[in-house]
Amino acid sequence: MAMNDSVNILNSAYLAVEYIDSFLPDNPLQQPFKNAWNYMLDNYTKFQIATWGSLIVHEFSYFLLCVPGFIFQFIPYMQKYKIQQDKPETWEKQWKCFKTLLFNHFFIQLPLICGTYYFTEYFNIPYEWEEMPRWYVLVAQCFGCAVIEDAWHYFLHRLLHHKRIYKYIHKIHHEFTSPFGMQAEYAHPLETLILGAGFFIGIVVFCNHVVLLWAWVICRLMETIDVHSGYDVPLNPLHLVPFYAGARFHDFHHMNFVGNYASTFTWWDRLFGTDSQFIAYQEKEKKKQCITKK
């Protein structure tokens, strides 16, 4: 009975969104995107699309999303939004991070990406434009992937902080106590595999078109680069996402090496009380600001 009620609610929600979508103006980018997608299908094999296409989407999205945070360090006005203002970025750290990233991307992540084609073939995941899900379905699927990845990340990340494990694997990621966007995937190869596995669980659950692979890659990179940016910028559209943790939440984790273990949302840390130190820290900061204003 409960299952039927849940299905009815989801169907009603889907119909409601579909009805609203029918009143929205046509997306001017849809036709160019359709043309580009069909051109890709006509000129490249599925293996090339799944493998090299996925690599290009990942690399292009990663470094493009890192650009704003990289530029902020050169703009004096933006420094008031930097969370740890006493720890500026250095060229030495950024260059070291960049070199490690290239190694992880091409020697750890690329072999995993090579399995994308076989995954889509095994599960008969379509590539055709006509079978591509609507935008609101993609949004819902990406949110579902984020919920699953967040749960995986919380428990495995917390485990990596265990005193018997931390110094062998996760310590590398905490080399920078004041994070910057490019550092999001700066990690030990084993950590890349362990925490990165959570990314694929949602794909296995929800994937009904190859475009979800790329949409979820972009969403996940957008989130992880934002929380590692080191800047708490106002009017950040990601703050509209319910229970979104944000840069200040994760920056505290890098500053103190404890608590705030989830990747995207706050509910796991609230449930297990691992955000208690962060809450106490926020209260102290508020009191300081009140005293300063007086």
Side-chain angles (χ1 to χ4, degrees):
M1 186 68 178
M3 180 65 72
N4 290 335
D5 290 341
S6 298
V7 171
N8 289 333
I9 291 171
L10 290 173
N11 286 336
S12 299
Y14 179 83
L15 290 172
V17 174
E18 199 171 44
Y19 179 73
I20 294 170
D21 182 58
S22 65
F23 289 97
L24 296 176
D26 292 336
N27 183 354
L29 298 177
Q30 183 171 344
Q31 191 59 44
F33 180 54
K34 178 181 179 180
N35 294 339
W37 189 271
N38 286 328
Y39 177 86
M40 177 184 71
L41 293 177
D42 292 338
N43 290 274
Y44 299 97
T45 66
K46 286 186 176 181
F47 179 83
Q48 291 172 324
I49 294 170
T51 304
W52 303 114
S54 297
L55 178 67
I56 291 169
V57 167
H58 180 273
E59 296 305 299
F60 180 78
S61 300
Y62 191 90
F63 290 106
L64 180 65
L65 290 167
C66 286
V67 168
F70 179 78
I71 294 175
F72 288 167
Q73 65 184 308
F74 304 112
I75 304 175
Y77 175 80
M78 295 304 298
Q79 294 313 300
K80 65 181 180 179
Y81 300 120
K82 183 168 172 58
I83 300 167
Q84 298 186 53
Q85 297 186 9
D86 59 331
K87 297 176 182 176
E89 298 89 343
T90 66
W91 285 107
E92 182 183 3
K93 289 181 178 179
Q94 290 176 95
W95 176 241
K96 181 179 182 181
C97 177
F98 181 71
K99 290 187 293 184
T100 302
L101 279 178
L102 290 183
F103 176 84
N104 283 350
H105 285 183
F106 289 94
F107 292 95
I108 306 298
Q109 295 182 9
L110 180 56
L112 295 175
I113 290 173
C114 287
T116 303
Y117 167 74
Y118 301 101
F119 168 79
T120 60
E121 285 295 293
Y122 183 80
F123 289 101
N124 294 317
I125 306 298
Y127 288 63
E128 290 71 24
W129 173 266
E130 291 74 19
E131 297 186 57
M132 189 180 294
R134 298 298 298 273
W135 65 270
Y136 45 84
V137 176
L138 273 177
V139 169
Q141 289 174 327
C142 286
F143 184 78
C145 288
V147 170
I148 292 171
E149 190 281 334
D150 185 67
W152 176 273
H153 192 99
Y154 176 84
F155 292 104
L156 272 295
H157 182 197
R158 190 172 176 180
L159 178 64
L160 289 176
H161 271 271
H162 191 279
K163 61 183 180 181
R164 293 184 179 179
I165 303 174
Y166 176 79
K167 64 181 178 180
Y168 299 109
I169 301 175
H170 193 52
K171 185 178 180 180
I172 291 177
H173 183 67
H174 277 279
E175 196 172 312
F176 307 116
T177 55
S178 178
F180 48 90
M182 191 168 58
Q183 188 235 337
E185 292 186 345
Y186 178 86
H188 189 285
L190 273 178
E191 179 173 340
T192 300
L193 293 173
I194 293 168
L195 296 185
F199 172 88
F200 296 99
I201 299 173
I203 292 297
V204 173
V205 174
F206 295 110
C207 194
N208 59 351
H209 195 280
V210 72
V211 75
L212 176 63
L213 293 167
W214 296 351
W216 172 222
V217 164
I218 295 169
C219 288
R220 178 69 180 114
L221 291 180
M222 191 184 304
E223 177 276 326
T224 191
I225 290 170
D226 176 59
V227 301
H228 284 92
S229 67
Y231 290 84
D232 188 16
V233 181
L235 303 179
N236 184 338
L238 288 175
H239 291 163
L240 297 174
V241 178
F243 301 101
Y244 181 66
R248 197 169 290 277
F249 187 86
H250 193 71
D251 202 279
F252 180 85
H253 175 78
H254 277 266
M255 197 191 316
N256 296 276
F257 306 98
V258 67
N260 297 8
Y261 297 112
S263 60
T264 306
F265 305 107
T266 57
W267 50 57
W268 287 111
D269 285 287
R270 288 183 181 179
L271 179 64
F272 290 101
T274 47
D275 63 346
S276 57
Q277 291 189 34
F278 174 65
I279 293 172
Y281 171 78
Q282 283 186 311
E283 291 299 322
K284 287 182 182 178
E285 289 297 306
K286 286 180 181 178
K287 288 180 181 178
K288 285 182 183 178
Q289 289 176 4
C290 291
I291 293 171
T292 303
K293 287 179 181 179
K294 292 179 180 179

